[in-house]
Structure formats: structure tokens, C-alpha cells
Amino acid sequence: MRPVEVENLSHAYGDRNVLAAVSFGINEGEIFSFLGPNGSGKTTLFKILATLIPLERGDVTLFGHNLARESGQVRKHIGVVFQHPSLDVKLTVAENLRHHGHLYGLWGGDLKHRIQEVLNQQQLTDRAADLVETLSGGLRRRAELAKTLLHQPKLLLLDEPSAGLDPIARRKFLESLDNLRETAGVTVILTTHILDEAETCDRVGILNVGELVAVGTPDELKSRISGDIVIVDSPAPNQLAPKISRQFGYRVATDDDVLRVECDRGHEFVRDVVAAFPSEIRSARFGKPTLEDVFIRLTGRNFHS
Ligand code: ADP
């Protein structure tokens, strides 16, 4: 049995359905991300798995424990990192860890040992005596993670863990998750609306207004789009889109100020489209499909709208 099994999970706030019969399973030791634009239901799903809001409909089993009936047991196995930091910035990193350890019943030598271990894991040993308010955003995130790891959870749940981090801090944070999976065998579920972040995960579940529309490795998902993607930058994308699909017969999506055209031979199409509409195109370039293209294909919606 996989460590996380979810069957037909639905949730509504009042009469508004925000998760519709979501089903998935997570394998041991994998890093899984739920990718979706704002409002797609990621945080609600995260809160249900983290036992922060009750399960309304569906069956969820975490490490063999039923989420609805055995939430106390479930909590022992999970570590939760919230979108909003939960560290006390007026305390040092070590003080934060000590207080959190006490909450989990850790004291004395055991606690000291665990604190050293998690500081070491997160490469924070030399910052243990620093006030949290003096740390950069990236280091705070890692201190947060260290705190969450004190009670040795088998599953980490993280809600938008790298929101607000710059790309380098984000990469380091994701590397530390990878390292944890390698060294401690931790399974990770995170939510994200950052496409690059989802790309680095083992598998991705794409959420769109409460529905899980696809699950797979980033490569599997991208292989659903057979050809190339050409990005056309135009001063009038909405006028140009129908002209391109009429003339070339390709699927065209508008995304912010650019058009994304799914076509067979991208390099030839770049040449042909610029020749056909020279005054309506600022630039055209082609590349391989991204998870954004997969989202657009599956939902017919723009990811950033
Ligand atoms: P995401 O994390 O993908 O942005 P959320 O789970 O936060 O999605 O929200 C999904 C939908 O549920 C949104 O339409 C949001 O406005 C709504 N929603 C979230 N929390 C509440 C709440 N406490 N009460 C009512 N509606 C909510």
C-alpha cells in the first residue's frame, strides 16, 4: 500500500464546490507537487491532508491510518510547512527549535541531539544562535523546515514553499528537499503555482478549479503535446491568433501578450509565420513544450489569467 491514498475527495465552502472527487496515490520517497493557478484548490487540499480542516467527503489513508477517524495518529507522521512563516522572529533559530521540540514531547539530550541533526541537515549549524529576524528569506525557509523535521515525520506537506523566494534561494530549498528524501527517506507533497518548481518534482498533479486533470512525471505530461511550441510576440495578439489558426490550421493560445502555437516543425513555422504577418509580429521563437503548455492544452485556460 502506498503511504498516501486519496479516493474521491470533495470539499465545499458553503455551496461552493472547490474540490471535486479528487483521487490520487503518492509513492514512498517521492516528491510530488500539486500545480495549479490561484483558486484551483491547492491550499484546501493541503489543509485537509494536514488535518487542519475536516475531511467532508471521500477516503484518505495516510500511512495506513484513516484521516477522518485517526487524525491523531496521522499527525505523528506528518510535518507541515505553511505558506506563512510560523517562526518567532524575536527568538534564535535554536530557541525556536527547542520550543517546537517541547510541543512534540522532546526534552533533554534527545532534543539536543535532534536539534543538531536537523540544523546539520539544513546546513544551519552556524546560524543556530542567530535571531530569526536576521536571516534571509531562504534561510528562514530552511529553519522552518528544520523545525518541521524535529519529530522525524515520514511525510512533509508544504504549501507554496518557495513563494517569495528568489530563484537561487528556491533552488537551494528544493535541493534541501531532495537531500532529505535521499538521507531520511521522507516523502514530500507540495503545492505550487510556479511552473519551474513543479518541473523539478518526481510527479505532478495538475489542478484546475478543483479538478485533478492529470497526474504524471513532468516528461510524461509534456509528451502529451507531440510537437513544438512557438511563442509569437505580437502588439495585437488577439487579432493575430485567429488569422494564424485560419492560415496554418494550428491550435493557438493567447497568454498575456504572446501567442503559443502548437505545431509540427517549429523552426519552419517561425520562418513562415513571420513571412505571412511581418507587421504584426515583434518576435517568434520555438521551444519544447512546458508544463504551461500542458495546462493550456488540458484546460483550454491560460495559466496566468
Ligand atoms: P489555491 O490554493 O489553489 O489558490 P484555495 O484552496 O485557496 O486555492 O481556494 C480554492 C477556492 O476556494 C477559491 O475559489 C477560494 O476563493 C475558495 N476559498 C478558499 N478558502 C475559503 C474559505 N475559507 N471560505 C470560502 N471560500 C474559500
Side-chain angles (χ1 to χ4, degrees):
M1 191 188 206
R2 293 184 288 190
V4 180
E5 294 283 358
V6 173
E7 288 281 336
N8 291 321
L9 184 161
S10 298
H11 192 84
Y13 293 109
D15 54 9
R16 183 170 188 185
N17 293 321
V18 296
L19 288 171
V22 169
S23 299
F24 59 89
I26 309 286
N27 301 312
E28 191 165 351
E30 83 176 331
I31 300 183
F32 188 100
S33 68
F34 283 103
L35 172 72
N38 287 335
S40 52
K42 302 182 297 295
T43 299
T44 303
L45 180 57
F46 161 86
K47 285 182 177 165
I48 292 170
L49 296 178
T51 73
L52 298 170
I53 50 180
L55 176 67
E56 285 180 348
R57 263 175 296 154
D59 289 308
V60 178
T61 313
L62 291 176
F63 298 97
H65 298 289
N66 181 289
L67 183 83
R69 291 195 300 272
E70 303 170 271
S71 55
Q73 282 300 320
V74 165
R75 276 186 212 121
K76 287 186 188 159
H77 294 300
I78 60 177
V80 182
V81 178
F82 300 97
Q83 221 173 95
H84 298 292
S86 63
L87 296 167
D88 188 330
V89 296
K90 297 289 179 198
L91 298 180
T92 67
V93 173
E95 285 165 346
N96 268 285
L97 294 176
R98 264 199 301 279
H99 286 310
H100 190 75
H102 293 161
L103 288 179
Y104 275 87
L106 289 164
W107 297 89
D110 283 350
L111 177 57
K112 218 168 163 180
H113 176 67
R114 275 305 292 152
I115 289 177
Q116 273 162 6
E117 259 179 6
V118 294
L119 286 172
N120 192 26
Q121 259 170 354
Q122 294 309 310
Q123 297 171 9
L124 284 170
T125 307
D126 57 339
R127 308 306 294 263
D130 291 354
L131 291 178
V132 168
E133 65 186 358
T134 66
L135 302 183
S136 67
L139 288 179
R140 281 188 202 196
R141 232 41 201 143
R142 277 166 30 213
E144 190 96 32
L145 192 54
K147 186 179 105 168
T148 306
L149 292 167
L150 271 178
H151 67 288
Q152 297 182 287
K154 293 197 263 183
L155 172 70
L156 270 181
L157 292 166
L158 307 102
D159 193 21
E160 302 268 357
S162 54
L165 295 187
D166 62 52
I168 293 172
R170 184 184 307 153
R171 206 187 58 224
K172 276 210 94 167
F173 186 76
L174 292 172
E175 277 169 13
S176 70
L177 291 182
D178 208 29
N179 189 32
L180 261 181
R181 175 254 299 274
E182 295 299 322
T183 55
V186 172
T187 303
V188 178
I189 302 180
L190 58 91
T191 69
T192 187
H193 68 278
I194 301 170
L195 293 146
D196 290 350
E197 184 164 57
E199 280 275 352
T200 66
C201 295
D202 299 324
R203 285 194 306 146
V204 181
I206 298 183
L207 272 174
N208 178 44
V209 280
E211 277 183 48
L212 189 59
V213 291
V215 176
T217 66
D219 283 346
E220 277 164 11
L221 294 172
K222 286 184 289 185
S223 71
R224 294 180 177 209
I225 295 183
S226 52
D228 295 326
I229 296 290
V230 169
I231 314 279
V232 178
D233 183 2
S234 165
N238 292 324
Q239 278 102 303
L240 185 57
K243 292 186 197 170
I244 292 180
S245 40
R246 240 188 340 264
Q247 177 146 346
F248 294 95
Y250 290 139
R251 195 190 290 258
V252 183
T254 46
D255 182 10
D256 295 331
D257 282 343
V258 299
L259 301 175
R260 303 176 80 88
V261 185
E262 213 180 302
C263 56
D264 300 331
R265 297 171 67 79
H267 56 293
E268 289 173 9
F269 175 69
V270 167
R271 183 194 63 205
D272 296 345
V273 77
V274 173
F277 307 105
S279 60
E280 293 173 73
I281 292 178
R282 287 198 203 103
S283 69
R285 63 193 153 80
F286 92 98
K288 294 295 164 197
T290 63
L291 288 177
E292 181 168 8
D293 299 307
V294 177
F295 181 85
I296 294 170
R297 161 69 85 84
L298 289 171
T299 65
R301 286 180 63 209
N302 183 338
F303 192 80
H304 300 288
S305 62

